Amino acid sequence: LEILMAHKILIIDDEEDIVTVLSYRLRSKNYKVETAFNGKDGIIKAGIYSPDLIILDYCLPDLTADVVVREIRHNENGKSAPIILITAAIEHIEEKAKKVEAVTYLKKPFELEQLYTQIEGLLTL
């Protein structure tokens, strides 16, 4: 009997409304969700939690997104988790996504269906 483990998703975003909605909706789709409202917490939780995927806001109050990613990648538990970048700052978004090693990105506000599609695509690789 094979037991399916729920995929773990870490959301790092300082906008409480977004985090609340995403957490609720992703949990309703049977994902395990952990959240962080700033970069430092995100780095710590990635190290503890070993996420299968990270949803990262580009603009955080304490650290730049590229610093957060660099720190997460230094830890064994965060080395391979694909990153979906979310941002309201759409200028140079492709370069920003590359800078933080994001596999894909979404512009805020985005449709939840778009996010689900991206998550499902990345987690079934």
Side-chain angles (χ1 to χ4, degrees), residues 10-23 34-42 55-65 68 85-89 108 110:
L10 173 60
I11 302 168
I12 307 172
D13 194 323
D14 60 321
E15 291 183 57
E16 217 169 300
D17 319 359
I18 289 176
V19 173
T20 303
V21 170
L22 285 182
S23 301
E34 192 63 41
T35 61
F37 293 98
N38 61 55
K40 283 190 183 104
D41 269 0
I55 297 171
L56 174 67
D57 183 18
Y58 190 78
C59 300
L60 295 167
D62 58 344
L63 300 169
T64 59
V68 173
L85 184 70
I86 56 175
T87 181
K108 291 179 183 177
F110 51 82

